[in-house]
Amino acid sequence: MELKDAVVLVTGANRGIGAEFVRLLKERGAGKIYAAARDESSIQADGVEPIRLDITDRGQIEAAARRAGDVQVLINNAGISTGTSLIGGDEEAVRREMDTNFYGALLLTRAFAPVLKANGGGAILNVVSALSWFTLPGAGAYAASKAAAWSLTDNARLELAPQGTHVVGVYMGLVDTDMSKGLEAPKVPVADLAGAGLDAIESGAQEVLADDWAKFVKSGLTLDPQQRYEKIFAALSGS
């Protein structure tokens, strides 16, 4: 679909990837942009309609769907990373990641699916991660939540196809945002990542592998676990 004149809602729109989606949507001539964040006063972009939206709050999600009944594109970008171990880490932190990275996107998709249908089908873009396809000690909660988001993305694509809704999953390694600050590794510029996602909406592509790391990790999914993780750890160590 064309993004020119389209009505788009972006979650986590106050910074990082979300703010870049907003900037690029304006460049591409989007007709209206609902910029959503837990604190709507943190939205700095001009020419957008700020929405207070905590994606872990069902009531706020339902209110957003009522208010933004003209939305044609939903961008599920908001997410968190607590650096919590899945086995030995704090259970509440694990739940926070799952509530945000999986349930938040799920509840938004459920709330806006009828809106998109009423407005001609439209599109949903989910910002996922290459960590949906592997895990690391200390990143277990994040990886589990993103694996669930990967499954959600595939399922939504199948379930919403009859109403004409195009579903895009975006997968990447590290992105040059506050979340990856201090990590010494190649990082995808936010403009490249957001631009590739918007290109997929316009071209009809279903999946974006935004960097070499995402391509590398996905290419190993057919290997048995020992071989797969030997390759991943070797690549991470530079050997």
Side-chain angles (χ1 to χ4, degrees), residues 140 153 162 165 199:
T153 301
T165 299
D199 288 346

Side-chain angles (χ1 to χ4, degrees), residues 28-46:
R28 296 187 187 211
K32 183 192 290 187
I33 302 169
Y34 292 99
R38 285 179 296 179
D39 177 6
E40 61 186 301
S41 69
S42 65
I43 302 292
Q44 301 298 316
D46 295 326

Side-chain angles (χ1 to χ4, degrees), residues 204-220:
Q206 296 181 339
E207 189 169 89
V208 175
L209 303 181
D211 60 6
D212 289 340
W213 182 251
K215 294 171 186 175
F216 166 72
V217 174
K218 192 177 184 190
S219 71

Side-chain angles (χ1 to χ4, degrees), residues 1 18 29 45 59-61 64 70 79 92 134 153 155 161 166 168 197 212:
M1 65 176 292
Q60 289 188 23
I61 289 173
D70 52 349
E92 288 305 311
F134 77 108
T153 301
N155 185 261
H166 170 213
V168 180
D212 289 340

Side-chain angles (χ1 to χ4, degrees), residues 93-139:
V94 175
R95 290 183 182 275
R96 283 199 303 275
E97 293 216 39
M98 194 64 71
D99 284 345
T100 304
N101 299 340
F102 171 63
Y103 279 107
L106 171 62
L107 294 177
L108 277 158
T109 299
R110 290 167 67 106
F112 276 92
V115 174
L116 296 175
K117 181 179 181 180
N119 295 323
I124 296 171
L125 184 149
N126 290 339
V127 177
V128 197
S129 172
L131 271 164
S132 62
W133 300 320
F134 77 108
T135 190
L136 292 169

